[in-house]
Amino acid sequence: MRLTCSAAFWALFAFTATAPGVQAKGLRRKLIAKNDCTIMAIEPLALEGGEEPDMILECELNAEDAGGVSGISAPIQATAAQLKELKDLIKSGELAAGEDILDIEGDEIDENHQVKIEPTVSMKAKAAKAKGGKADKRRRLVDTTGDLKMLLVKVTDVNGLVYPDSATVMSDEVFGTGNDPINLKSGLEECSWDKLTVLPKALTQAGVPDSTHEVATGVVEVTIDISLTDQGNSAIRNAVTTKVQAMLGYNLPGPYDYVLYSLEKCYIDCGWAAYAYINSWNSVYQDVYYKRPGVLMHEIGHNFGLAHSGGLDGATYTDHTCTMGNPHYSDDAFQCFNPAKNFQLNWYDDAEITEDPRIQGYSNTLTLVGIDEYPDRGDSPVTVRLETGGGADYFVGFNRASATGPNRMNDEGDNQVTIVQVNGGSGESYSQSFLKAKLSQGQSYAITDYAGTGKTVTITALSIDISTTPGTALVRISDGLVPAPPSPPPTPAPVTPAPTIASCPGAQEMMEVQIQTDNWPGETEWTLTDKCGSNGVILSGGPYGSANTPFSSNVCANDGQYEFQINDSIGDGICCGYGTGSYLVKFGTAVKASGGEFTSSETKTFGTCGSTPPPTTGSTPPPSAPPTAPPTNGSTPPPTNGSTPPPTAPPTPVPTAPPTVPPTPVPTVPPTAPPTPVPTAPPTNPPTAQPTAPVTPAPTTGGGAVAQGAIFDSSYGVPKCANMGSSCDSLALLDGRGTISNGNEPNHSNTNNIGNTCNDGNSGIYHSDESIDQITVTAGDIESGVPVPSGDFITEGGRAYVTVKLWCWGSGASDTADIYLTKDASSPDWEPLDSITCPGGGAQTIVQAFDVPKGTNQSIRVNFRFNGSPSTCSSGSYDDHDDLIFTVKENPSVTPPPTPAPTQPPTPVPTPVPTPMPTDANDGPPPSPGGVASYDEVLGAPKCSFAPSCDSGILLNGRANINNGAEPNEPNTLNTCTDGPFGSYHSDESIDKIVVSKASGGDLTEGDEVTITATIWCWGTGSNDRIDFYYASDASNPVWTQIGARKTCPGGGVQTMTASFTLPPGSLQAVRANLMYGSGTAGVNKCVTSSYDDTDDLVISVRPNTSIQGLVASPGKSKHDDVQGAVVYAEKDAAADMMEKELQELNQSTEKPEDDDGNEGGKGKGKGKGKGKGKGGESVGTASATAKYVCTNADLSPRTSVMKGHSQMTPVPQKDSHAEGKGRSAGSLIVMGTRKPMNEVNEDWKLFDKSSRGIMKTTGDKYLFVRTMLQRFGADI
C-alpha cells in the first residue's frame, strides 16, 4: 500500500527532549554553551496514510556542553522565522547539514538539552560566524560505494517495552541473513548493481568482529534508562546513543558507516514511521517500519545526502518513480532512484553525460538505456544532465522496468522517459527534486525560457523499444533554432591573465603557472615571488570563478630563486575530496613545482640566487614587456584581434540579455502562456448559470454572461479579463511566486505597474512555501458560508466574491492574505476588503464577498504575507502579491459616490512668467525615449545613450557566478571591483537593476537633479545588509564621490533603495551601487568586496547645460548696468521668479539699511568691520563698495561658494570697488556680486559648488555678476 500525501503540511511534528512537565533522568540544570555545534537536519517519513512532515532541526553538541557525552543532539529552540531561514539555507545547499556548524557559544542550553536562540539574531549570521566568517558550504561526500558497514540496535526501554521480533528475525528482515529475499541489503546492492555492498557486523573500535556484544548478525541490544511513553524523540535517541557508546566503548559512528535504531513504538510527538539525519550516520524506526525495505532505503538515502523527490503535483515527495518520493510500505517491495538521485549517488558514473542546451542551435539525439539493464548498455547513457548554469539542472532518463531488473517493482512511469529537475546544486548535493514529465513514444516536454535564455528547449521521446535487450529510448533534445555561425578559434577565458608570450629576451626564460581548479574555485589563490631581486610578487592568480577549468599565467624571468605559494580559504586543498584540481609551475621546459593535495596552504621554493641581474634592471626591458610590441599587438594578429571579427560578447556569451529589450515584457502572451495551463474552466465557475434570480440588486440582464479567462495585459503588467462575464479567472497566470525554485511565476510580479509595482519575495520553494496560485472573481454572493454564483454579469452595484487559491506554509497560522479592491485599475486606489489567515497548511482556498462599486475596469489585489501586518505591498522574502483586472458591466442606475468638494482651480497661482533663460540659449535636442543600457566592452559596464532616464535592464541581474544567478559580464564595474562569489541567487545579496531618472522631461542634462533607484535583494531580514551610492563625473577616469550616508536594507527580499544628486558637468558620467553584508570599509576604488558583496556601475550620457558652462550675456542687454556679463540659471517655477523679482527690487533700492546686530548674518558700515550672529551663524563682512545687496547667509567669498540648503537674503551696505563676506551656516547662497573692473582682476573668477562639482568661468566685459538659485528649485549653484 502506498502513502497518499495530504495537501497540508504536518506542522505538529516537533522533536522535544521530554514530554511537557516531565523531567528527564540525569539531566542537569541549564548552562551556557562554550562551543559551536554541528547543524543536524532530520527528515521524518510519515506513517502509512499519514500527513507529510517537515524537516526538523537539531544541533549536535560538543561533548563539553553535553555533560561529557558525545553524539548528543539538542533541538533548536527558535522563532518560526528563524527556523524557516535555517531550513532554506540547508535546502538551497548553502549549508550542509551534518557538517556545517552553528555558533551557539554564549547561548543557553536548558535543562532539556534545547539550544535557545535569541529571537532577534540571524541564523545565517550565526552559521557564517562559525568558520572564518563564513560557513563551509559543501556537502560531506558520504560513502555510497564500496563496503558499507552497518549496525542495527534493538532498543528496550526502562519498562521493558521492546519490539517483539527476535534479534535473529530482525537481522534477516534488514540484512537478509536468513530467508528474506527482499531487504535493505538486497535493495541497495541491486539498485547500485553491486557498486555498494552492505556488511552487517558488530565491530570493535579497531574494526574487527565483536562477538561479545553481537546477538545476531549485525544486531546489538541495549536497554535505556528512560521510558518511551513519557519522553520525546530527541531524549530517546540521545539515551540510545549514550548506551550504545558505553557498551561498545567508543563514540558513534566509530567503525560503522550507518547505525539504525529500532524502537517498540512512538508515544509522544508521533506521526512518523522513521526518521534519518541528512548527511550523517543515524536513522531511527518505530514499530514494524524497521522491516519495510522501501522505508529503510528511503532513510538511508537521507543519510547518503539525498533530499526528497516531488511529483508532478509539486508536493514534496510524490514522485513514485523514486524511493525518495513515497516509498513502498510493504515487506516485500522496494524501488530504485530517479535520474537526478542516480547522478548524485555516482553508481552509474560511467554512463552519465552532461549536455548544455544553452548553446544557440543546440540539438542532439541520444539513445538511452535504463538502469534496469545497465550492464547491457554498451556506450549508451543511463542519465543525461542538462546544464542550466545556475544549479537547477534537468536530468533525463529511461525508466525501464523489466521483469527481472532492480527496477521491476517501480510504481510510476514504467518504460517512459522521465524528466526531473533539482532545486540547486547541479545534482551533486542535497537538493529537492521534482518530476517534470513522463513521456511515452511521440510525446514532448517543452521548457520555456530555458536557463533564462528566452528560448524553448524541447525534449521528445522519438521512439521507445522494449522488445530488445537492452530496451532503448531514442530522445531528441533541441531548441529548434539555427545554430550560431562558426566562431573564430577559441580565445583564452577572460579570467586568464594574459596570452602566452611567444619568446623572452636575452637569457630570460618563460615562467608559467598552470592551475586546474576544483569544484570550489573561489577558495583558491596563489602567488609567485622573486626571492633574489626587488621585484617581489611577479605573478598571482585567483580566486577563480569557473570550476574544473584550466588557467595559465606566464611572465619572462631570469634564472634565480622563486617561491610559489598556493592557498585554499576553506583548508582542504584543491584535490581530491572536492574535484581533482592541481597546480604546475614551469621555468622554460623544466617543471619546478606541482601538486594539489594540501590543507590551507602549500609553499614550494626552487632555484638559487646568482649574479644574474634582476630582470627589471639594465637595458633588457621588464619581464612583462618583450622588446617587440606586446604579443596582442604584433604582426600576427592574436585570436581576438585578427581580421575575423571578435565575438560580440565575452567568451561565454550571455544569451539572456539582449541589450535593448527589458527582461520581463512579453510581446505576445496567449492565454495558455504558462507551461502548465489549466485545461478547463475553474470548478467554481460552472458554464451553466443558475436560472434563479440574481442575489445582487443589479438588474438581471438575461443570458449571455459566460466565464472569462484572463490573459496577460502588458500595459498593466497583470492578468486581465477584457470582456464582461459571469466570472474572471486568472487560470495559471499567477501560479507560483517570483523566481522560486520550481515555481517561477509567469510575468512576475503581476502587480499593476500603473501604481507602484510590488515585487514578490523570492525565498523558499514552490509548494513548500507561500504562493498565490489562482484568483477568480465571480458574480454572486456567499450564503451561509457557501459561495453561490449568480450566473449573471459582474455588474456595478451588484455583489461578487473573490476566490483565492493559496499554498500556505507549515500549519498556515503564520500566513495571511490581505484582499484589496480598486474601482479603477487605471488609477488604483486600494480599498481593503479583509485580511484572512490561512485555515491550514498546504493548498487552501479562501473566499471574500464584496459590493461591486461604480467602475467598469476594476481590480483585485491579494497581498499574501508571512507574519507582518496588513499592507498592499509587504516586503517579506516569502510574500506574494498578485492583481487580477476584471471588466464590470455598467449599470446606469448606480451613481458614483458623491464627489468631494469641487476640484481646485487648475492653476492656484498666476501662470509663471516665461523662463528667464536668455532668448539666444540653445534649447537642445528634443528628449529621447527612456534609455535601456547595453553592455560596453571598453568600459566594462552597461551604458546608455542620451535619454531622460537610463535603465540597466537585466544586465546587472545577479552577482558573480552564484547559483541560479550568474551576473552577465560580471563584475560590471569601471575599475574592476570584484563581486563576492558565495551564496545563492535571491537567497543572498545581489543588485538586480539600477535606474537613473529625473522628475521632468528632456534628456539627462548637466545640473539636473536625478535619482538613482537600485532594485536589490537583501538577505534574511535585511538588517545586516547595507548599500553605498556613488557618482563620477568622468566614466572614463572615474573619481567616485559618495552620495549621502550608507543605508541599511529596510527588509528582506526584493527592496528598492534610492539616492539623489545633481549631475555635474561631464558628457559621460557613471553611478555606482555597492551592496554589502555587514559594514565593510570601502577601499581606494570605493567598493567593499567581501564574500556576499555586489558592486555594479551604470554609465550615463549627459547633455551639456550651457547655462552652467558660462553663457555670457552681451553688454547692454541687462536691465542694470552693474549686471553686465551675467552667468544665469533658468528658474524652475513661479517661486523662483518671485525670488528674482524681490532680488531686483532690493538691488534697485536706494534705502539705506539700518545697522543690525548680526541678526541675519553680518553687518558692515563704511570701511569698518562688524561682527554678529544670526540664523546663518557667525559672519564677518568687509564693506568697500557702492551700496548694493548680497546674501551673506552662506559661505561666501569672491571665489568660492558652498551650497548647502536654504538661506535668507540680507541687505549689506558696501562701498568702493570690492565686497566680500564670510559666514558659516547651513544656508544657501542666493546672490553673490562684485563691482570690480575686470582689468583689475588677475585671473578669471571661479564659482565652485560642492554638490555639483561644477566650475564656471566668466569673461564679462567690465563687471562680473553671478546669480544662483536654491537647491530645491533644481539648480544647486
Side-chain angles (χ1 to χ4, degrees), residues 443-529:
Q443 291 183 323
S444 297
Y445 175 69
I447 307 172
T448 58
D449 190 25
Y450 184 87
T453 60
K455 65 180 183 176
T456 297
V457 171
T458 302
I459 304 169
T460 303
L462 298 173
S463 65
I464 294 175
D465 183 4
I466 59 173
S467 64
T468 61
T469 301
T472 59
L474 188 65
V475 176
R476 182 178 63 217
I477 307 168
S478 174
D479 64 7
L481 301 177
V482 177
S487 302
T491 59
V495 289
T496 303
T500 303
I501 301 172
S503 60
C504 291
Q508 292 184 337
E509 292 279 357
M510 183 74 65
M511 184 75 76
E512 182 181 11
V513 177
Q514 299 176 6
I515 300 291
Q516 173 76 30
T517 58
D518 64 357
N519 297 341
W520 300 89
E523 299 170 1
T524 305
E525 294 183 88
W526 59 268
T527 57
L528 182 66
T529 305

Side-chain angles (χ1 to χ4, degrees), residues 694-765:
V695 180
T696 69
T700 304
T701 59
V706 296
Q708 300 291 322
I711 62 173
F712 181 73
D713 188 311
S714 59
S715 62
Y716 288 99
V718 302
K720 177 182 178 180
C721 293
N723 298 318
M724 297 180 295
S726 60
S727 65
C728 175
D729 191 338
S730 68
L731 304 176
L733 293 179
L734 303 178
D735 192 19
R737 168 166 55 83
T739 58
I740 61 173
S741 296
N742 296 299
N744 194 318
E745 180 182 314
N747 308 304
H748 58 84
S749 63
N750 284 300
T751 51
N752 196 331
N753 56 29
I754 293 179
N756 290 324
T757 300
C758 187
N759 293 317
D760 296 338
N762 290 297
S763 293
I765 299 170

Side-chain angles (χ1 to χ4, degrees), residues 467-791:
S467 64
T468 61
T469 301
T472 59
L474 188 65
V475 176
R476 182 178 63 217
I477 307 168
S478 174
D479 64 7
L481 301 177
V482 177
S487 302
T491 59
V495 289
T496 303
T500 303
I501 301 172
S503 60
C504 291
Q508 292 184 337
E509 292 279 357
M510 183 74 65
M511 184 75 76
E512 182 181 11
V513 177
Q514 299 176 6
I515 300 291
Q516 173 76 30
T517 58
D518 64 357
N519 297 341
W520 300 89
E523 299 170 1
T524 305
E525 294 183 88
W526 59 268
T527 57
L528 182 66
T529 305
D530 182 355
K531 304 298 288 184
C532 300
S534 58
N535 296 313
V537 175
I538 62 171
L539 276 179
S540 63
Y544 296 100
S546 299
N548 305 307
T549 303
F551 293 87
S552 177
S553 302
N554 52 65
V555 67
C556 290
N558 288 316
D559 191 10
Q561 187 178 72
Y562 296 89
E563 178 183 272
F564 175 78
Q565 183 177 56
I566 186 168
N567 302 301
D568 184 276
S569 60
I570 294 297
D572 55 12
I574 57 176
C575 187
C576 298
Y578 304 99
T580 53
S582 62
Y583 68 83
L584 182 75
V585 184
K586 294 172 63 178
F587 184 67
T589 59
V591 175
K592 296 295 186 180
S594 62
E597 291 190 72
F598 57 93
T599 54
S600 296
S601 181
E602 184 166 81
T603 301
K604 297 285 184 71
T605 302
F606 55 90
T608 57
C609 295
S611 58
T612 306
T616 56
T617 60
S619 58
T620 304
S624 60
T628 59
T632 58
N633 226 1
S635 57
T636 302
T640 60
N641 202 19
S643 57
T644 302
T648 58
T652 306
V654 182
T656 63
T660 59
V661 182
T664 55
V666 180
T668 309
V669 184
T672 57
T676 315
V678 178
T680 62
T684 57
N685 303 311
T688 50
Q690 295 186 7
T692 57
V695 180
T696 69
T700 304
T701 59
V706 296
Q708 300 291 322
I711 62 173
F712 181 73
D713 188 311
S714 59
S715 62
Y716 288 99
V718 302
K720 177 182 178 180
C721 293
N723 298 318
M724 297 180 295
S726 60
S727 65
C728 175
D729 191 338
S730 68
L731 304 176
L733 293 179
L734 303 178
D735 192 19
R737 168 166 55 83
T739 58
I740 61 173
S741 296
N742 296 299
N744 194 318
E745 180 182 314
N747 308 304
H748 58 84
S749 63
N750 284 300
T751 51
N752 196 331
N753 56 29
I754 293 179
N756 290 324
T757 300
C758 187
N759 293 317
D760 296 338
N762 290 297
S763 293
I765 299 170
Y766 178 64
H767 280 189
S768 172
D769 297 281
E770 295 80 355
S771 64
I772 301 166
D773 293 343
Q774 190 173 5
I775 300 175
T776 307
V777 178
T778 307
D781 209 340
I782 299 176
E783 299 179 3
S784 302
V786 178
V788 179
S790 70

Side-chain angles (χ1 to χ4, degrees), residues 650 654 656-657 935 954-960 965-972:
V654 182
T656 63
Y935 182 70
I954 63 171
L955 293 182
L956 303 179
N957 193 20
R959 168 167 55 82
E967 179 182 313
N969 309 304
E970 57 94 15
N972 285 298

Side-chain angles (χ1 to χ4, degrees), residues 94 212 634 867 929 1054 1090 1163 1200:
E94 180 136 4
T212 302
N867 292 329
V1054 175
S1090 192
K1163 66 176 183 177
T1200 305

